Amino acid sequence: MGKAKRIAKVMFLCFVLLNLEYVSVTMGDTPANCTYEEVIGSWYFFESERSGDSSINCTIPGPTIHTLQMTLLFPDVVVDQYGNKGFWTVVYNQGFEMVINYRKYYAFSAYKNSHGNVTSMCDRTLPGWSHDVLGNNWACYVGKKITSFPPKHHVEKLMLEKTLHKTNFAFLHKINSKSSSWKARWYPEYDKLTISQLLKQRGGRKSRVNNRPKAAPVTIGIKMLAAQLPEEFDWRNINGVNYVSSVRNQGSCGSCYSFASLGMIESRLQIMTNNSVQVQLSPQDVISCSEYSQGCEGGFPYLVAGKYAQDFGLIPEKCNPYKGKDEPCSEKKCARYYTADYSYIGGFYGACNEELMRIQLVKNGPLAVSFEVYNDFMYYSSGIYHHTGLKDALNFFEETNHAVLLVGYGVSNGEKFWIVKNSWGSKWGENGFFRIRRGTNECGFESMAVEATPIP
């Protein structure tokens, strides 16, 4: 064995030993919170043999075969030690994905979670997955930044498993007194749920984004393109034809990321085939089988509509009906729908804005969008929502990141709005939909939309 290979093997073994206590937890359970600024820079990646398939177990990678040095540059370029270039993006606050030399790499950022005391180590990764751009020759890898980074800490609040929610009618009155653009109402079904169950309905703790990016600046070219779009647009009614699948109810499972992602794929399949392909896809399969998500504890559309759909495919609802709970993954011999490509609107995390969202919405179809849910939103009944700034003193509330499906936009009395499909059933809001203020990045709505192109 050459000197360089011996050094690489020693570095890899030392790195794995350092990370053993962090990889013993479920791979998808990711309370890590790493920012773009912490991830950017030069890295070593230690990759195993490139001979596996998509069933590869990367809990603890095999011996290192390839030692790679990569530099992640602003805003989305990655360069290897030989000067070859590719592209990369942060994936929310969870990890990052690279595409270079005809291979894709994704890993979650490393962390340690001790009874809710979370330590994020943003200068290293958990074991991740790599494969060529055709989805073959899978391998495992781990990464470590060349320049060490101090760990950071945060405390997760305890889940209130048995504390029932109780509607604060004084709070509803305050909302309706303060807001002139939207109305709140009582949902009696909420009072049958615990605080923990409602937290999952709003997205789940493990889909939270603590450092949400701002909407990106708009270039003159994009402004000119957006100016040519219609003033109003709605995929539910394009010359009398509806391209949006029906509203569903996720229940008390933090699976909104799956419903939003699959809703986008369903609609885009209808659009691409002129409604000849109308399939309802299975959120349960994503909940149970995706190692890129956290089941009923939450997840992110980029890793579902994009990465999971491309790597493993999505199956019809009838093949794995929705149960709204975590259950073991079982192999289903069903037709699968894959995505050809996927990206954040703007091309990378942090490049999104209202004009780009409207352009891609009209051009390609509905988008999966994540936004911050405050305590007033869950009582939305009708109108154009914006956060009132009010707090419910009677109920414990934790802000969450909720994923929904953007289907259109419009203007009412001079106020611009988005039209959005939720996954809380057709009796919530405006027949399962809501409108939210547009052009102000309300609740972070215009900061990190995702799109994917399905293969019919």
Side-chain angles (χ1 to χ4, degrees):
M1 183 185 295
K3 182 178 180 181
K5 288 187 176 181
R6 287 198 300 270
I7 293 173
K9 184 174 182 179
V10 170
M11 290 176 68
F12 174 79
L13 291 174
C14 290
F15 185 65
V16 168
L17 288 172
L18 285 170
N19 279 277
L20 281 177
E21 63 177 311
Y22 310 127
V23 302
S24 60
V25 294
T26 303
M27 288 292 292
D29 182 7
T30 55
N33 178 30
C34 296
T35 66
Y36 177 94
E37 292 76 14
E38 291 165 335
V39 170
I40 198 168
S42 296
W43 289 74
Y44 283 125
F45 295 102
F46 306 98
E47 187 181 22
S48 66
E49 184 178 355
R50 298 171 177 175
S51 59
D53 58 24
S54 60
S55 66
I56 192 169
N57 181 358
C58 288
T59 303
I60 299 179
T64 185
I65 301 298
H66 305 280
T67 301
L68 314 170
Q69 183 178 337
M70 303 283 186
T71 301
L72 308 179
L73 300 173
F74 177 87
D76 63 340
V77 175
V78 56
V79 182
D80 70 10
Q81 65 264 46
Y82 306 110
N84 300 309
K85 294 183 178 180
F87 60 90
W88 75 285
T89 182
V90 168
V91 179
Y92 308 98
N93 58 347
Q94 302 288 286
F96 55 94
E97 183 177 55
M98 306 181 300
V99 183
I100 187 170
N101 297 329
Y102 305 104
R103 288 188 70 80
K104 283 192 171 186
Y105 300 82
Y106 179 74
F108 291 105
S109 295
Y111 69 92
K112 180 180 179 181
N113 188 358
S114 178
H115 307 292
N117 294 303
V118 179
T119 301
S120 297
M121 289 148 290
C122 301
D123 61 349
R124 64 183 71 177
T125 74
L126 294 179
W129 306 264
S130 72
H131 55 73
D132 64 33
V133 292
L134 298 178
N136 302 315
N137 302 310
W138 284 63
C140 304
Y141 77 98
V142 287
K144 189 178 191 312
K145 216 172 177 184
I146 293 176
T147 302
S148 296
F149 210 90
K152 61 181 183 180
H153 310 275
H154 73 270
V155 178
E156 289 192 324
K157 296 177 181 178
L158 295 175
M159 297 284 280
L160 302 178
E161 298 289 348
K162 297 182 180 180
T163 303
L164 284 174
H165 170 271
K166 185 177 182 181
T167 300
N168 184 348
F169 291 98
F171 178 60
L172 298 188
H173 178 72
K174 286 182 180 179
I175 293 173
N176 288 326
S177 297
K178 183 171 182 177
S179 176
S180 59
S181 67
W182 68 281
K183 295 298 179 184
R185 77 172 178 89
W186 175 43
Y187 289 93
E189 57 268 32
Y190 289 169
D191 294 334
K192 300 176 183 178
L193 302 176
T194 65
I195 298 295
S196 173
Q197 289 173 320
L198 281 175
L199 178 66
K200 290 181 179 179
Q201 179 177 300
R202 297 191 299 265
R205 171 172 287 120
K206 291 167 186 170
S207 62
R208 183 171 51 205
V209 177
N210 293 332
N211 298 284
R212 181 180 293 273
K214 297 179 181 179
V218 183
T219 65
I220 294 176
I222 294 300
K223 279 187 177 181
M224 293 176 64
L225 285 174
Q228 301 175 37
L229 297 174
E231 185 178 42
E232 298 184 346
F233 190 87
D234 188 345
W235 278 109
R236 297 175 299 177
N237 184 3
I238 304 297
N239 299 321
V241 180
N242 178 20
Y243 292 95
V244 178
S245 54
S246 60
V247 172
R248 301 183 65 184
N249 193 339
Q250 69 186 76
S252 299
C253 170
S255 53
C256 60
Y257 65 96
S258 182
F259 280 90
S261 300
L262 272 54
M264 175 175 61
I265 301 301
E266 291 166 353
S267 289
R268 290 190 170 209
L269 283 170
Q270 290 181 236
I271 294 165
M272 295 171 72
T273 64
N274 195 26
N275 263 335
S276 64
V277 175
Q278 296 189 33
V279 60
Q280 189 176 68
L281 297 171
S282 169
Q284 188 63 51
D285 176 70
V286 175
I287 294 166
S288 299
C289 299
S290 174
E291 291 190 78
Y292 304 144
S293 303
Q294 295 87 54
C296 279
E297 295 299 328
F300 298 95
Y302 183 92
L303 296 174
V304 175
K307 190 159 184 60
Y308 182 75
Q310 186 173 89
D311 289 348
F312 298 95
L314 307 169
I315 66 174
E317 168 70 12
K318 62 183 180 182
C319 193
N320 192 356
Y322 187 65
K323 303 172 186 64
K325 62 182 181 180
D326 292 307
E327 64 176 21
C329 178
S330 59
E331 183 66 26
K332 304 289 184 180
K333 296 187 181 300
C334 311
R336 290 188 177 267
Y337 295 84
Y338 294 85
T339 52
D341 55 56
Y342 55 94
S343 69
Y344 289 107
I345 299 301
F348 57 92
Y349 187 71
C352 186
N353 58 44
E354 177 208 354
E355 287 83 354
L356 285 170
M357 288 171 66
R358 287 201 298 135
I359 291 169
Q360 296 308 112
L361 174 71
V362 173
K363 179 182 177 182
N364 296 324
L367 310 175
V369 179
S370 300
F371 71 108
E372 293 179 13
V373 172
Y374 295 94
N375 51 357
D376 56 0
F377 176 77
M378 60 187 288
Y379 299 106
Y380 171 90
S381 174
S382 62
I384 302 172
Y385 172 80
H386 61 85
H387 178 40
T388 60
L390 298 172
K391 294 187 179 295
D392 185 352
L394 187 62
N395 291 294
F396 167 84
F397 188 88
E398 188 174 344
E399 294 169 15
T400 58
N401 182 69
H402 185 46
V404 288
L405 184 69
L406 174 62
V407 302
Y409 61 85
V411 181
S412 177
N413 298 321
E415 186 169 31
K416 301 189 300 181
F417 61 84
W418 297 110
I419 304 168
V420 191
K421 174 185 169 185
N422 203 354
S423 51
W424 294 352
S426 58
K427 294 181 180 179
W428 181 89
E430 297 177 332
N431 298 315
F433 291 79
F434 68 95
R435 289 173 288 162
I436 185 170
R437 186 161 55 184
R438 174 167 61 92
T440 62
N441 197 27
E442 182 67 45
C443 301
F445 197 87
E446 293 155 8
S447 64
M448 52 187 207
V450 170
E451 70 173 337
T453 303
I455 301 173

